[in-house]
Amino acid sequence: FFAAVALRRYPEYRNKPIGIGHGWKTDSHGRPIPVREGHAPEASGTSKEGRKKSYSELSTCNYKAREYGVKKGMFLHQAKLLCPDIVILPYDYEGYEEVSSLVADILHDQAEKFDGAVEQVSCDEAYIEIYLSKEDAKSEGHHRQET
């Protein structure tokens, strides 16, 4: 959710490995840039090779970054070792609120339509319970053909 929302603001990174966290840098136009090994923001240590280590944590990453072994909660310097071209994007709190509201509206509309309920757990998690009769399914065009 968080990576997908950030990519709405930065679509140029849609097919690149990205992480979300505080350890990001920008170019002269304010756009995030890849953070390279040895140029770690918020550095608070040094590796054996003399390179800066960032102890900033990734809150999440996209599936492209996960292909390299990057995981949520990983220190930025570890993520960069696994995926040198990872781009760290900033948190997009306004975007999270906007998308969460849009999805919640859709869920509440469907719950109301099918005499159900929605339980919003967090901005990226909700449960929906609906009562779908066979007639409802047929009228919505969602029935399967019996074989």
Side-chain angles (χ1 to χ4, degrees):
F1 174 80
F2 299 101
V5 170
L7 288 170
R8 293 172 73 223
R9 183 173 288 193
Y10 303 103
E12 65 269 29
Y13 299 115
R14 191 155 282 158
N15 295 313
K16 307 272 189 222
I18 63 123
I20 306 298
H22 290 293
W24 50 279
K25 287 187 167 191
T26 58
D27 64 16
S28 61
H29 303 293
R31 305 299 288 175
I33 57 172
V35 178
R36 305 264 185 238
E37 183 64 38
H39 297 91
E42 302 178 27
S44 35
T46 306
S47 69
K48 289 186 237 177
E49 298 82 24
R51 291 180 281 202
K52 293 179 182 178
K53 293 169 92 176
S54 174
Y55 288 98
S56 179
E57 289 185 14
L58 295 180
S59 68
T60 193
C61 59
N62 66 356
Y63 291 107
K64 194 73 169 167
R66 290 174 195 210
E67 291 173 11
Y68 293 88
V70 177
K71 297 178 177 148
K72 68 180 180 178
M74 182 176 276
F75 290 129
L76 181 55
H77 72 271
Q78 292 173 315
K80 290 186 308 179
L81 287 172
L82 293 171
C83 184
D85 291 328
I86 192 167
V87 177
I88 307 304
L89 299 177
Y91 293 97
D92 181 4
Y93 299 109
E94 291 174 10
Y96 305 148
E97 187 174 336
E98 177 189 357
V99 173
S100 182
S101 292
L102 290 170
V103 172
D105 289 347
I106 292 167
L107 293 176
H108 283 284
D109 287 348
Q110 293 302 307
E112 186 175 312
K113 184 176 182 180
F114 295 104
D115 194 29
V118 174
E119 181 181 348
Q120 186 87 27
V121 180
S122 66
C123 68
D124 68 331
E125 185 177 0
Y127 298 97
I128 183 171
E129 179 176 66
I130 58 173
Y131 301 97
L132 189 62
S133 69
K134 288 183 180 183
E135 291 77 29
D136 290 331
K138 288 177 183 175
S139 69
E140 292 295 315
H142 297 292
H143 67 288
R144 289 189 283 181
Q145 295 221 314
E146 299 297 320
T147 55

